[in-house]
Amino acid sequence: MFPRPRPNDAGGRAGLLLFLPVAAAWLTVVAVALSPVEHLSAAAAAVGANRGGATPPGDLVAGLRVRAAVAALPLALLAGFCLARGARITAAIAAAARREVPRLGRSLARGGVALPLAALTGLLAARLAAGMDTPLRTDEAATLLSHGEASPLVILSVWKNTNNHLLHSLLLRGSVAAFGESAAAARFPAAVAATLCVPALFLAARAVLRAWPALAVAALFAGSAYAVELGTNARGHPLVLLAACLLFALVPRIARGRPGAAAGAAVVAAAGAWAVPLMLLPFAAAVVAVLAWPGRASWMRRLRGAGTLAAATGTLVFLLYLPPLLVRGLQENAIATVGHASIEPLSVAERFGTLGWNLRIAWRQMAFPLGPAGRGLLLAWIVCGVACCLAAGGRRRALALGVLLGPAAVMAAAGVPPLPWWALSSAFPALLVLAAVPAAAAASACRLHRRVRAASAAALVLAAAGLPAVAALHADATAAFPRRVGYPDARAAAAVVAPLLEAEAAGRPRFEPGRVRGPAVAAELRRRGASAASRAAFGDPRPEPAADAADRLLTIRDGGGGGLPPAAEAWLAAEPARQAQRWPLPRSEVLLYERVAGE
């Protein structure tokens, strides 16, 4: 699978690049396994184990030595493998890079798509730049509060909730350190990844389409409202989309047994899984596509390519997730916690029902701003694309089989978890490619003059990029985008509550903004430079106050007479109170309540 390196091969000389990190990891776990508990507790406190919502040192070191001792053996075996085969693997990757990068450049130059592709990339970058400074949504605000100033060691080792997308949290930490704490800085890594999805999606579509239809797919992505939603949301999902597109672009080379293709694809897939473990869904689709790929390569060669990809990716993911697995264990990490709390109590029928509901929401978001009729027609068109792929055979059939069978197998093996709608974003690039297949098939069937065909292709690309973008401009995405979890009035609310929360402790009201609004308001207060006392009610660890702990309550509710947060309702139910002041905002209102004296 990997060629033997020549003595002067740069890849061979770089063979230690694989061995040294694994050896360092082995030495680290051995040192942890042999260290006294007191030393581990002191080390955890020194790196800031209590920052960013992390666990306290006592919990951090519980069972750590045992898990480190168990991990030492597989790491030792892996280090031996890297020492024996690392030179051949790095030589293959280096040779593949030297061969494929110039070939890619020549292909773009010959097809005349380099300039349009750059223009589409710039279009999406400009659209993202226009929305970078809008108020943070709930999850991205929580990520900024918990990891914007946390130690990188804590980010990479304490994984107790799924809000910590490890690779993205680390990139967010670096962006905030470089550009300051702001919404734009928090969103910068996601925006860059979403922008790079345009050329990456073109490369992925080229595996099954000609150059201009593939460019139309990239144009659909660049002009869509969903791409802007993903790129202006400080989460790790754009990194998964980018990794999925690059992975599918490498599928033909893996199937043909090109040296270094499987190893390079494993690096890409592992990086996506490091961002969000849901990378497993597009990864499974790519493995099925490799197995179903047509060509002269034998079945055994394709099976070996898929096996190499799976083994290499699994090894890299094990190394990347080793720190949090050592700290929390297999049954205490974020995925296990979500499974125990949200999946296991549901019956199979309830899981299918919840998953179907989430799929409908995800489809509404991807097709935004289309109405019900438009979404129905587009879905029927995509189903037609699937049928065209299955009937055409070859590469397109391999794509359809991968998209249909790979994620379905993962979902069945996991017990049909009801994935939330935001976790289904990795399907968006595949849906765009499937939507382009019927049009590409019709264009191939028509025997048009070359110039007419080129003009038609250019018009298709312009329409694919322009029509969705123009439609999105006429829709207020911050208000109309389906199921956007956030608080649009966060900045106005922060301006109202900041002076009240900056008062002396005796006159400071208790603040209960609600679970969804709290992180967004807290991020805006931090942006305004509010003191630590003002932010104490949001993300920092603190004892829960009693329901009647203060004489005044500051809270927020939606406009139109919406309900109050449960904690505020409990405070009002404890003793009589009256509404002392009200601040109306565009979509909500801030309320100040006071206890009624003498009752």
Side-chain angles (χ1 to χ4, degrees):
M1 195 68 182
F2 302 106
R4 291 186 179 277
R6 296 185 296 273
N8 293 327
D9 194 348
R13 292 197 303 269
L16 290 178
L17 290 177
L18 294 181
F19 168 73
L20 292 178
V22 180
W26 178 79
L27 291 174
T28 301
V29 299
V30 169
V32 168
L34 298 177
S35 298
V37 174
E38 297 80 7
H39 293 176
L40 293 177
S41 299
V47 299
N50 285 316
R51 298 176 60 188
T55 53
D59 185 34
L60 185 68
V61 298
L64 181 58
R65 295 176 63 191
V66 176
R67 291 190 288 270
V70 172
L73 179 58
L75 281 176
L77 297 176
L78 183 58
F81 173 82
C82 291
L83 185 62
R85 304 294 293 271
R88 296 181 65 181
I89 296 174
T90 52
I93 295 176
R98 290 194 299 268
R99 180 181 63 251
E100 297 297 337
V101 172
R103 180 180 297 175
L104 174 62
R106 291 192 297 269
S107 174
L108 293 176
R110 283 197 305 268
V113 297
L115 186 58
L117 188 61
L120 292 173
T121 306
L123 170 66
L124 181 56
R127 297 181 67 206
L128 292 175
M132 290 287 282
D133 201 41
T134 55
L136 291 167
R137 302 167 190 78
T138 299
D139 284 346
E140 54 181 344
T143 301
L144 177 62
L145 292 170
S146 59
H147 300 104
E149 296 180 352
S151 165
L153 293 177
V154 172
I155 293 174
L156 298 181
S157 60
V158 180
W159 189 44
K160 64 178 183 178
N161 64 72
T162 54
N163 200 51
N164 182 13
H165 298 167
L166 297 178
L167 176 58
H168 175 264
S169 296
L170 187 64
L171 295 175
L172 181 146
R173 174 69 175 86
S175 178
V176 169
F179 305 117
E181 192 171 288
S182 65
R187 290 166 171 159
F188 182 72
V192 171
T195 303
L196 294 177
C197 282
V198 176
L201 181 54
F202 169 79
L203 296 177
R206 281 291 286 124
V208 294
L209 298 171
R210 294 183 181 272
W212 282 95
L215 192 64
V217 172
L220 283 172
F221 183 86
S224 67
Y226 194 64
V228 176
E229 177 71 12
L230 289 173
T232 56
N233 193 354
R235 312 294 292 122
H237 300 294
L239 296 172
V240 174
L241 259 68
L242 178 60
C245 292
L246 294 176
L247 180 61
F248 265 90
L250 291 171
V251 162
R253 292 162 177 79
I254 301 171
R256 291 196 293 265
R258 291 285 180 86
V267 173
V268 170
W274 200 23
V276 186
L278 290 167
M279 178 67 195
L280 183 59
L281 296 176
F283 177 78
V287 170
V288 173
V290 169
L291 295 175
W293 204 257
R296 291 175 294 179
S298 65
W299 174 259
M300 287 303 300
R301 171 171 287 188
R302 283 177 286 169
L303 186 61
R304 185 172 62 176
T308 302
L309 173 62
T313 303
T315 301
L316 291 174
V317 171
F318 166 73
L319 291 175
L320 293 173
Y321 277 93
L322 183 60
L325 290 179
L326 289 178
V327 170
R328 303 290 297 184
L330 289 174
Q331 299 301 320
E332 300 178 12
N333 58 60
I335 292 181
T337 302
V338 171
H340 295 325
S342 304
I343 299 177
E344 290 182 0
L346 300 178
S347 66
V348 175
E350 291 173 330
R351 295 180 191 182
F352 273 106
T354 305
L355 181 60
W357 186 75
N358 289 333
L359 284 171
R360 288 193 294 271
I361 294 176
W363 176 238
R364 287 179 58 198
Q365 290 184 335
M366 293 177 188
F368 182 83
L370 294 180
R375 291 195 299 268
L377 290 175
L378 182 57
L379 183 59
W381 185 260
I382 292 174
V383 172
C384 179
V386 174
C388 289
C389 288
L390 295 176
R395 297 182 173 194
R396 294 179 182 178
R397 178 183 293 173
L399 167 69
L401 291 176
V403 171
L404 294 175
L405 300 182
V410 172
M411 294 291 289
V416 195
L419 298 177
W421 60 87
W422 59 83
L424 302 170
S425 58
S426 59
F428 188 54
L431 294 177
L432 294 180
V433 175
L434 292 173
V437 168
S444 300
C446 297
R447 297 183 177 276
L448 300 176
H449 189 274
R450 181 173 58 85
R451 293 183 179 179
V452 176
R453 191 166 58 245
S456 301
L460 176 64
V461 170
L462 290 175
L467 292 179
V470 172
L473 288 176
H474 289 282
D476 185 3
T478 58
F481 196 86
R483 290 287 174 173
R484 171 179 281 193
V485 182
Y487 181 40
D489 290 340
R491 288 182 180 169
V496 171
V497 304
L500 297 171
L501 297 180
E502 292 288 350
E504 296 295 330
R508 186 183 308 137
R510 176 180 168 185
F511 187 34
E512 293 293 350
R515 191 175 163 191
V516 172
R517 307 181 194 97
V521 178
E524 292 300 327
L525 284 174
R526 182 177 289 187
R527 187 181 68 87
R528 295 170 60 91
S531 67
S534 298
R535 298 196 304 266
F538 304 101
D540 300 334
R542 66 186 179 99
E544 281 296 323
D548 55 350
D551 292 332
R552 297 198 300 165
L553 172 72
L554 191 63
T555 187
I556 302 173
R557 72 178 177 188
D558 294 332
L564 294 174
E569 295 279 7
W571 186 91
L572 291 172
E575 291 183 16
R578 67 179 183 89
Q579 181 179 312
Q581 201 165 353
R582 173 180 172 271
W583 294 267
L585 303 177
R587 299 188 183 107
S588 60
E589 55 186 4
V590 179
L591 302 174
L592 179 65
Y593 290 93
E594 293 180 348
R595 294 290 188 203
V596 178
E599 295 191 19

